[in-house]
Amino acid sequence: MSTTSDPNPAHATAVPTSRAGTLALVGLLAVVTMIGPFTIDTIFPAFEVIGRDLGGDKVELQQLISIYLLSFAAASIVHGPLSDALGRKPVMVGGLLLYAGASVLCALATSMPLLLLARAVQGLFAGAGLIIARTVVRDLYSGPDAQRFMSQMSMVFGIAPAIAPIVGGWLLGWSSWQGIFWVLAVYGVLLAGLVALGLPESHPPQDRTPVRVGPIVRSLWQCTTDVPVLRLAAAAALNFAGLFLYISSAPAIVVDHLGLGERDFGVLFIPIVGAMIVGSWLSGRLAERTPKHTLVMVGFGLSLIGAAFQVAHEAVSSPSLPWTVAAPAFLGIGMALAFPVIMLDLLELRPRQRGTVSSVQSLSNTLLNALVAGVVSPFVSHSMTVLALVAGACTLAAAGLWMWHVRVHPAVADSAAVSTDDSTDTTTDA
């Protein structure tokens, strides 16, 4: 198997030459990206205890998710441009260490306002790993290799939402809600060390933007006003939003609808993550033999089947296992099948500004997730039918944006994977 199809010789020393080295690199990047769902999902089982200890109501507890996502979004627009200017590795290591410090602040919080403030600080630095890891994959690989490795990374990443609430429940039984944040702090320090020792620098000095405010701001402006970039960034965000609606509504689904306890979140998250792993595996396996448009549309179709099944089931029966978790499972496999293709096409639009483009995607994704967690979920999670209808609407919107992209770039429908020379940008004004 080829390790890379990137013609840029500057990357030659950074790309692992063995299969073991490649898998180690993909595994490291995937573990780094897991910090996002871990930070969100580990505290779900502790909501009731935190509310009791710090005097927070249900709305305030839900803001532990949304305020984190809002600060994550605000900072995400900076991480990518900084990595374009300074290199991928130093920005990632610095972000992870600062994230660990913010997790300590969360553990030491003595009131709900202080915990919300600490969560906001945590969100400022949590995005560095996720944003830059995806960029590193496309720095080092192209064509089917890039899609395959992005899919493999997504498979490992997909484990986090399943095990995070389970780990949170265990930690809550073993220690306290503060113990969850102490573990996240240690996790951040360990990841920073692994990145410092094991990650090659994939963005050589000759390819970097000047370390000055003007060029960085100009790069941001170019990407945030580029219609194709915004179109695919929105498609990727909406593709995930339907699934995230179920994830952010997990306390209501597990406790209120299914009548289970704080240590039973696995009944929802394990099927979701198993489906995401299957979808990611299929996306990688089919990278060289299936047109990208076909993969994406099959993914959207599976997501819509899940939403339709949920509506049909709720029309004839009350929430119950295993049927209530079937819809999010279909959404998981559909999202994972489509996401690597959409993300790689997005990173192809501006090859020399991949970090910035990744930041734009992360910003749009996180802002939408914050809206879903803080506004949409509290109003729709009372009804599994309404929840499914909203999730399906997100998928339909994503499908519409993707079909617009294919209409403007007809070659996408016929190609099996991207393989674009890095010498020029490929954006259009369409």
Side-chain angles (χ1 to χ4, degrees):
M1 182 184 68
S2 171
T3 56
T4 180
S5 52
D6 194 332
N8 189 346
H11 296 165
T13 58
V15 181
T17 57
S18 67
R19 179 176 176 81
T22 298
L23 292 176
L25 173 62
V26 173
L28 173 58
L29 293 174
V31 172
V32 170
T33 63
M34 286 169 67
I35 204 166
F38 247 89
T39 307
I40 295 172
D41 298 346
T42 49
I43 68 169
F44 279 152
F47 267 21
E48 183 178 347
V49 179
I50 293 173
R52 186 168 60 246
D53 286 357
L54 302 183
D57 58 27
K58 285 189 175 182
V59 175
E60 288 177 311
L61 290 170
Q62 194 67 35
Q63 301 317 307
L64 288 173
I65 306 300
S66 58
I67 198 168
Y68 162 83
L69 291 172
L70 286 171
S71 62
F72 185 108
S76 66
I77 203 67
V78 177
H79 298 311
L82 283 178
S83 76
D84 286 339
L86 301 175
R88 313 300 187 206
K89 193 170 178 176
V91 178
M92 193 181 294
V93 171
L96 289 168
L97 290 174
L98 290 168
Y99 165 85
S103 299
V104 172
L105 293 178
C106 290
L108 297 176
T110 56
S111 67
M112 200 67 195
L114 287 177
L115 181 56
L116 289 170
L117 177 61
R119 283 284 284 181
V121 177
Q122 200 179 33
L124 291 176
F125 304 110
L130 174 65
I131 293 167
I132 300 171
R134 292 170 178 168
T135 309
V136 170
V137 170
R138 186 53 191 92
D139 282 344
L140 299 180
Y141 303 100
S142 65
D145 285 337
Q147 185 174 330
R148 185 180 304 111
F149 297 142
M150 185 76 79
S151 299
Q152 291 172 348
M153 193 170 77
S154 297
M155 287 175 64
V156 180
F157 165 81
I159 298 171
I163 65 174
I166 298 172
V167 170
W170 288 345
L171 290 172
L172 192 61
W174 171 68
S175 176
S176 63
W177 65 264
Q178 290 93 338
I180 295 173
F181 290 108
W182 285 115
V183 169
L184 290 176
V186 173
Y187 183 41
V189 172
L190 289 176
L191 287 181
L194 288 173
V195 170
L197 295 174
L199 184 71
E201 177 54 67
S202 64
H203 194 51
Q206 63 268 25
D207 289 346
R208 296 175 190 173
T209 57
V211 190
R212 297 194 302 271
V213 174
I216 291 176
V217 171
R218 185 161 54 252
S219 178
L220 272 171
W221 175 255
Q222 290 171 347
C223 292
T224 55
T225 56
D226 189 321
V227 172
V229 169
L230 295 178
R231 179 171 58 230
L232 279 188
L238 287 162
N239 180 47
F240 184 70
L243 179 63
F244 189 74
L245 179 58
Y246 280 91
I247 294 172
S248 60
S249 302
I253 295 172
V254 173
V255 178
D256 298 337
H257 291 292
L258 294 176
L260 302 175
E262 62 185 19
R263 298 190 183 184
D264 297 320
F265 281 79
V267 301
L268 174 65
F269 285 97
I270 290 175
I272 289 176
V273 172
M276 289 173 62
I277 291 173
V278 171
S280 298
W281 178 80
L282 286 173
S283 184
R285 290 284 294 177
L286 299 174
E288 295 181 80
R289 63 191 76 170
T290 306
K292 294 185 294 180
H293 181 57
T294 301
L295 280 177
V296 174
M297 294 309 295
V298 169
F300 289 149
L302 289 172
S303 295
L304 290 173
I305 288 172
F309 177 84
Q310 184 89 77
V311 172
H313 176 263
E314 296 304 313
V316 298
S317 179
S318 58
S320 61
L321 293 174
W323 313 113
T324 296
V325 300
F330 271 95
L331 282 159
I333 193 172
M335 184 280 298
L337 193 63
F339 179 79
V341 177
I342 299 173
M343 189 66 196
L344 288 170
D345 259 44
L346 175 61
L347 292 173
E348 283 301 316
L349 293 175
R350 288 187 170 272
R352 295 193 179 278
Q353 297 168 303
R354 286 191 185 120
T356 306
V357 170
S358 186
S359 278
V360 171
Q361 190 279 325
S362 180
L363 175 66
S364 61
N365 192 74
T366 310
L367 285 175
L368 185 56
N369 287 346
L371 180 66
V372 167
V375 178
V376 179
S377 175
F379 283 96
V380 305
S381 59
H382 67 282
S383 168
M384 296 301 297
T385 299
V386 177
L387 195 153
L389 289 171
V390 174
C394 290
T395 299
L396 284 174
L401 289 168
W402 172 257
M403 288 188 286
W404 180 11
H405 174 66
V406 171
R407 182 177 61 81
V408 176
H409 301 277
V412 170
D414 301 319
S415 59
V418 294
S419 183
T420 304
D421 193 292
D422 286 357
S423 59
T424 58
D425 287 349
T426 60
T427 50
T428 71
D429 292 330

